[in-house]
Amino acid sequence: MSSAQILHFQLDIPSAALGFGTEARLWIATRPAATVAIGAALARHREVSFAAVTTGATNLVAAVNCRDPRDLGRYLTERIAELPGITTLETAPIIRTVKRAGSLLL
């Protein structure tokens, strides 16, 4: 509870319950000078629920939620494709989620 006597809730709701039946993870390699700008652009996309700067083979990772596979295809070929500085993009559709972020309370 905050000092203003307001109770806050944080929920992790499966995206399918909100009508988003297709999830994917994107691993994005960028030119070093473009990493921050592309990360900021991803953060503004309504399809992106999580984005982070990483190290290794890619510079960015993003969790994407779309209505269906066609919507994901449009997102990749229209929204992501317009971002300058991406050198490679690996898309991994989520087949089945076995655990979400929080613990189950029984």
Side-chain angles (χ1 to χ4, degrees), residues 14-36:
S15 56
L18 300 173
F20 298 95
T22 299
E23 293 182 70
R25 298 300 175 264
L26 307 181
W27 283 271
I28 303 168
T30 67
R31 289 190 335 270
T35 302
V36 172

Side-chain angles (χ1 to χ4, degrees), residues 1 3 7 11-12 16 23-25 27 36-37 42 45 54 62 66-67 71-74 76-77 82-83 88 96 102:
M1 191 176 311
S3 61
L7 184 62
L11 303 173
D12 187 13
E23 293 182 70
R25 298 300 175 264
W27 283 271
V36 172
L42 290 173
H45 289 183
T54 62
C66 295
R67 298 274 177 205
D71 191 29
L72 175 60
R74 274 191 303 270
L76 295 173
T77 59
E82 73 180 12
L83 299 175
T88 61
R96 180 173 63 103

Side-chain angles (χ1 to χ4, degrees), residues 10-105:
Q10 289 184 320
L11 303 173
D12 187 13
I13 299 171
S15 56
L18 300 173
F20 298 95
T22 299
E23 293 182 70
R25 298 300 175 264
L26 307 181
W27 283 271
I28 303 168
T30 67
R31 289 190 335 270
T35 302
V36 172
I38 292 171
L42 290 173
R44 291 189 299 272
H45 289 183
R46 61 180 169 75
E47 296 90 348
V48 175
S49 60
F50 171 83
V53 175
T54 62
T55 61
T58 61
N59 309 85
L60 296 162
V61 62
V64 175
N65 300 289
C66 295
R67 298 274 177 205
D68 53 41
R70 180 174 282 176
D71 191 29
L72 175 60
R74 274 191 303 270
Y75 177 69
L76 295 173
T77 59
E78 296 172 13
R79 306 279 313 275
I80 292 291
E82 73 180 12
L83 299 175
I86 293 176
T87 57
T88 61
L89 168 67
E90 183 177 341
T91 305
I94 303 299
I95 304 301
R96 180 173 63 103
T97 300
V98 295
K99 182 179 179 180
R100 291 247 170 228
S103 299
L104 291 176
L105 301 175

